[in-house]
Amino acid sequence: MKDRDGHDHQGSPRAGPGIVGNAPRACPGKVNRRVVARVPPYMRLRMAAVLLTILLVPVAGCAAAGAEPGYSEADVRFNQQMITHHRETIHLAELAAKRGSGAYVRELGARLIPEEQADITAMSGWLKSWDQAVPPEEASTAATGLKAGPGFDQGWLTMVSEHLQHGIHMAEELRAGGKHAPTRELAERIVKAQTAEIAEIAGHLS
């Protein structure tokens, strides 16, 4: 092509369909195979990993946000009430050491204290991990009418037997609504241990 002065000039090629300058134009919805072919294999793997992470993070976040806690209201209620119940058991056991005269009464009282205290420590830990209140310690009025003397041992054994039976009832109620496996295991252990203790006490009351 010549201009008005007679000089030759080569014109730029006209952009044809799908061409911008000399670069291929990507069609919507199609993979530009020429561009992909120029990406090194290790970069393709890295890009795929990044894309997978971007897709999975929101899904994981939604799953975590919708996850149910591993405990129920029944678990919270049981642990709170059983802590109070165990503290009353410890109070009764301490009275046996002070006022009891028989060897069995004193031995049973000494056995109950560490067992109940260990359970209280475990239950308090669970409640704290759930951001639930641990019942405050209060002065117990249980067995205040039992005085040291000949009738103390029999009265104490009767009261402890009734108290342990109440604990069994509380533990059995958890079976219907408890979700927390360690709490359910504790409840089952309470039922088994206190049933045996009640039978043992009955042998000393007859």
Side-chain angles (χ1 to χ4, degrees):
M1 181 183 296
K2 296 183 179 181
D3 58 16
R4 287 182 295 180
D5 297 329
H7 297 102
D8 288 332
H9 293 279
Q10 182 163 355
S12 299
R14 298 179 62 185
I19 303 296
V20 178
N22 292 324
R25 180 189 302 171
C27 297
K30 295 184 179 180
V31 176
N32 193 324
R33 300 183 182 277
R34 295 181 182 178
V35 175
V36 173
R38 289 198 294 268
V39 178
Y42 76 91
M43 285 297 296
R44 296 181 201 173
L45 292 175
R46 184 176 298 179
M47 292 166 64
V50 171
L51 178 60
L52 183 62
T53 301
I54 293 173
L55 293 174
L56 291 180
V57 167
V59 175
C62 293
E68 295 184 0
Y71 65 94
S72 65
E73 289 298 324
D75 293 313
V76 174
R77 182 171 58 253
F78 170 82
N79 282 295
Q80 290 175 333
Q81 293 178 351
M82 189 57 75
I83 285 175
T84 300
H85 188 272
H86 274 26
R87 285 172 178 164
E88 291 179 351
T89 305
I90 292 173
H91 172 73
L92 288 171
E94 290 172 342
L95 288 179
K98 297 175 182 177
R99 305 176 187 176
S101 57
Y104 173 71
V105 168
R106 289 178 173 272
E107 183 272 328
L108 178 58
R111 189 202 318 163
L112 288 173
I113 292 175
E115 293 175 353
E116 304 291 279
Q117 189 57 60
D119 289 348
I120 290 173
T121 300
M123 291 186 287
S124 298
W126 297 333
L127 289 171
K128 290 176 182 177
S129 70
W130 302 334
D131 292 326
Q132 300 292 331
V134 176
E137 292 197 44
E138 299 178 354
S140 175
T141 58
T144 53
L146 285 177
K147 305 299 181 182
F152 176 85
D153 287 4
Q154 292 294 304
W156 184 85
L157 289 172
T158 300
M159 186 170 292
V160 169
S161 179
E162 294 172 352
H163 184 70
L164 295 178
Q165 185 61 55
H166 181 241
I168 291 173
H169 177 69
M170 292 169 61
E172 289 175 337
E173 285 185 335
L174 182 69
R175 291 171 176 167
K179 289 176 54 179
H180 184 237
T183 296
R184 292 176 61 89
E185 291 170 4
L186 173 61
E188 293 300 325
R189 181 163 56 81
I190 287 174
V191 171
K192 183 178 180 179
Q194 295 188 178
T195 298
E197 288 165 347
I198 289 172
E200 185 180 277
I201 290 172
H204 289 81
L205 284 173
S206 57

